[in-house]
Amino acid sequence: MTKELLLAVFLIGVGLCVAGAGTHLYQWLARQQAMLRYDGSTFVRSLGNLSMSFVCGPYIMLQMGWQHEEDGTISMTSALVSAVVAFGWAFITGLLFMGAYVAIRY
């Protein structure tokens, strides 16, 4: 039981690291804010935005949860929901990247 829990935490950590690094790399190269979107001027750009949103989504969700309300406070519900979604999404992202790493490496 402990091994499975540690593996899940490790995959979430890998997913968050990949999402954070991907988000900052995208913002550095594209010179624009990373957002969850699927629009684009061409079909190829739409696929690029969709793939960027999938890889960088957990980090973007965590950032969205910490946005301030109109009165300057942080909504606890928004922060908790975005954290649960982001950690679940990071597990899927980490599983995808670690699976690809193990498949290529071994």
Side-chain angles (χ1 to χ4, degrees), residues 9-27:
V9 170
F10 177 72
L11 289 175
I12 290 171
V14 168
L16 284 176
C17 288
V18 167
T23 302
H24 288 287
L25 181 66
Y26 173 79
Q27 291 179 160

Side-chain angles (χ1 to χ4, degrees), residues 19 31 41 47 51 58 80 84 89 91 103:
R31 304 263 192 249
S41 57
L47 288 179
S51 62
L80 288 175
V84 168
W89 196 343
F91 177 79

Side-chain angles (χ1 to χ4, degrees), residues 2-75:
T2 304
K3 291 179 186 178
E4 289 85 4
L5 182 62
L6 288 176
L7 178 62
V9 170
F10 177 72
L11 289 175
I12 290 171
V14 168
L16 284 176
C17 288
V18 167
T23 302
H24 288 287
L25 181 66
Y26 173 79
Q27 291 179 160
W28 176 56
L29 292 175
R31 304 263 192 249
Q32 64 180 355
Q33 185 73 23
M35 297 183 297
L36 298 175
R37 62 182 184 198
Y38 58 90
D39 62 334
S41 57
T42 63
F43 181 69
V44 175
R45 286 190 183 239
S46 295
L47 288 179
N49 285 337
L50 186 64
S51 62
M52 182 275 305
S53 293
F54 179 76
V55 172
C56 302
Y59 190 78
I60 296 170
M61 281 300 296
L62 284 175
Q63 293 296 322
M64 287 172 57
W66 288 103
Q67 289 180 353
H68 293 280
E69 300 291 323
E70 291 85 22
D71 58 352
T73 61
I74 295 174
S75 170

